[in-house]
Amino acid sequence: MDRIEHLILKNLIYNEPYARKVLPYLQPEYFEDRSEKVLFEYVNSFISTYNNLPSREALTINLNEATGLHEDDYEKCIKLLGFLEENKDEESDMDWLLNTTETFCQDRALYNAIMESVNIISPGNKTDKTKGSIPEILTDALGVTFDPNIGHDYIDNSAERYDFYHKVEERIPFDLDFFNKISKGGLPNKTLNICLAGTGVGKSLFMCHVAANCLNEGKNVLYVTMEMAEEKIAMRIDANLLNVSIDEIQEIPRDTFESKVEKIKNKVKGKLIIKEYPTASAGSQHFRSLLNELSLKRDFKPDIIFIDYLNICMSSRIKAGAYVNSYTYIKSIAEELRGLAVEYNVPVVSATQTTRSGFTSTDIGLEDTSESFGLPATADFMFAIISTEELEELGQLLVKQLKNRYSDPTFNKRFMIGVDRKKMRLYDLEETAQAGINDVVDGSKKVKKTDAYDDTPAFDKATDNKFQKKDFGSFNFN
């Protein structure tokens, strides 16, 4: 066998264990010679149809009956079949054969990706792909590999399963006690996490607060916004981290502002990137291209991704203007974002609106998810944020678990958190504040004020002096 392609084709026809393992990873475009490509396609088609290896006679008959096959190509295929049969008794070490085939697939995939990229940037190209798709094309090619794992054997893999049970899963913690309790310590990687709330209740506020905390904890954060401008999101995070109300930010002198930002820079180790897209104009493919560009140009790999918010993303699988119902479309977006989380090994946090009836409800359920019930079916963790006039006066929000794959959702199903809207912050309340939850739900009584709320700034009182300094001249991030 003087060519690796011949070795591969021979073993596909005469070596069943080899064929079963490598056939899912081989592609026709990996074979440069026309006769080799045609023969591979017939072998692949036969195995897929009959779940068995083809004989020389079967392949010869199929080639004879083929339409559109040039006579020269037919003769080369028949000659190649004879050559392969003559050498079928030559055996090769299986491990070497698998490794050699994997290397061949990787090399061919990379070569084809490079040639496709050159074609995209060449003048007069006829492809509909843009330059922004090149990083993804190369990434897919570099990711070609033979996955040896074909499933978990319940008996034989019991030791590995036990180790998994006792493995400490990497999570990104909240700075809110109840959220850490219900998520068992924070958000795991490869998950989609959804905040459900009515208009103006606090979806973006929640995401900005969590993003600010992640940055403060040294994480790399990517915040994608399609609802507000990049600068508006940055202003909210400024209010949170600088301990300044939204109204006061524009009044801070430049040198004071830069001094405060410098103190944050010296304190945190992570980065926060905010990227704005026009409403309903970006989806998972755009986010994937953005991640590739950030990796190449800024050496930035996020630890967590926020997408503000899911319903105004576009689907990368369903074309714009396609006649599909909202259930299918929103479910498609949710599945694509969860796929993105799995691919990049990060938690994705997003939000969705309530229905009209859910907006006025004090006991929101999954049925109050707007547009598509397919979203909660896809999400790993979903909770509602509820506000009433009484809670607004107290600076509090009611949180209700709707779906939780991390722990028992009936544990702390509802709880209260504090909110300082001027500084775009959330904070823990004292235990006594949780006593009014049932009153909020049934509406029979007004929620009483607790010691966690009075006329002093709520966040400063509820936290352990993390952001105590409020005067601009004496700002202290610690």
Side-chain angles (χ1 to χ4, degrees), residues 279-470:
T279 301
S281 67
S284 60
Q285 288 289 72
H286 300 84
F287 306 150
R288 193 173 282 109
S289 296
L290 173 62
L291 289 164
N292 289 332
E293 284 193 63
L294 288 172
S295 177
L296 292 171
K297 297 177 181 178
R298 297 196 185 182
D299 192 26
F300 175 87
K301 182 181 182 299
D303 297 303
I304 186 169
I305 300 174
F306 294 85
I307 298 176
D308 193 0
Y309 60 96
L310 186 143
N311 293 64
I312 53 177
C313 292
M314 65 177 289
S315 171
S316 298
R317 292 182 294 176
I318 301 176
K319 293 183 179 180
Y323 186 72
V324 294
N325 55 49
S326 61
Y327 174 92
T328 303
Y329 195 75
I330 298 301
K331 187 174 190 295
S332 176
I333 295 172
E335 290 170 345
E336 291 164 16
L337 294 185
R338 193 177 188 283
L340 189 74
V342 173
E343 180 179 348
Y344 286 89
N345 193 34
V346 296
V348 169
V349 181
S350 191
T352 189
Q353 299 271 24
T354 61
T355 58
R356 185 180 303 176
S357 60
F359 180 73
T360 58
S361 174
T362 57
D363 193 24
I364 293 175
L366 287 175
E367 70 278 4
D368 294 308
T369 305
S370 68
E371 297 188 270
S372 175
F373 199 76
L375 172 53
T378 306
D380 297 283
F381 178 47
M382 190 165 177
F383 61 92
I385 295 179
I386 302 167
S387 180
T388 64
E389 291 184 5
E390 291 85 355
L391 289 176
E392 191 73 25
E393 292 176 5
L394 296 175
Q396 297 177 1
L397 293 171
L398 171 64
V399 179
K400 178 185 176 183
Q401 293 189 67
L402 301 177
K403 180 181 180 181
N404 193 340
R405 287 177 175 165
Y406 314 142
S407 65
D408 183 357
T410 62
F411 174 70
N412 290 319
K413 188 173 185 65
R414 299 179 181 85
F415 56 89
M416 308 289 288
I417 57 174
V419 57
D420 183 347
R421 293 188 183 276
K422 290 185 177 181
K423 295 183 179 179
M424 292 292 142
R425 286 177 178 162
L426 303 172
Y427 56 91
D428 291 317
L429 296 173
E430 294 181 4
E431 287 296 327
T432 53
Q434 309 304 327
I437 291 178
N438 292 331
D439 296 337
V440 174
V441 174
D442 62 29
S444 60
K445 300 178 183 178
K446 289 187 177 180
V447 179
K448 297 179 180 179
K449 287 190 177 183
T450 70
D451 292 338
Y453 186 92
D454 56 23
D455 293 335
T456 60
F459 183 86
D460 294 336
K461 187 166 184 177
T463 55
D464 51 356
N465 298 321
K466 208 171 187 180
F467 297 92
Q468 291 288 338
K469 299 291 184 181
K470 290 177 282 184

Side-chain angles (χ1 to χ4, degrees), residues 242 244 248-257 260 472:
L242 303 183
V244 180
E248 294 173 332
I249 285 180
Q250 294 177 327
E251 301 174 5
I252 304 176
R254 176 182 288 272
D255 57 344
T256 303
F257 177 80
K260 291 186 175 189
F472 298 154

Side-chain angles (χ1 to χ4, degrees), residues 238 242 256-267 475:
D238 273 336
L242 303 183
T256 303
F257 177 80
E258 291 178 349
S259 174
K260 291 186 175 189
V261 174
E262 185 66 24
K263 289 180 180 179
I264 295 176
K265 178 181 177 181
N266 295 333
K267 180 181 177 65
F475 173 80

Side-chain angles (χ1 to χ4, degrees), residues 221-235 272-283 286-287 290 293-294 298 305-309 312-313:
V221 181
L222 174 61
Y223 196 112
V224 175
T225 173
M226 283 172 283
E227 187 174 37
M228 288 185 284
E230 296 172 356
E231 295 79 9
K232 291 291 185 181
I233 295 296
M235 177 184 288
L272 170 62
I273 303 294
I274 306 170
K275 172 62 178 176
E276 176 189 0
Y277 288 99
T279 301
S281 67
H286 300 84
F287 306 150
L290 173 62
E293 284 193 63
L294 288 172
R298 297 196 185 182
I305 300 174
F306 294 85
I307 298 176
D308 193 0
Y309 60 96
I312 53 177
C313 292

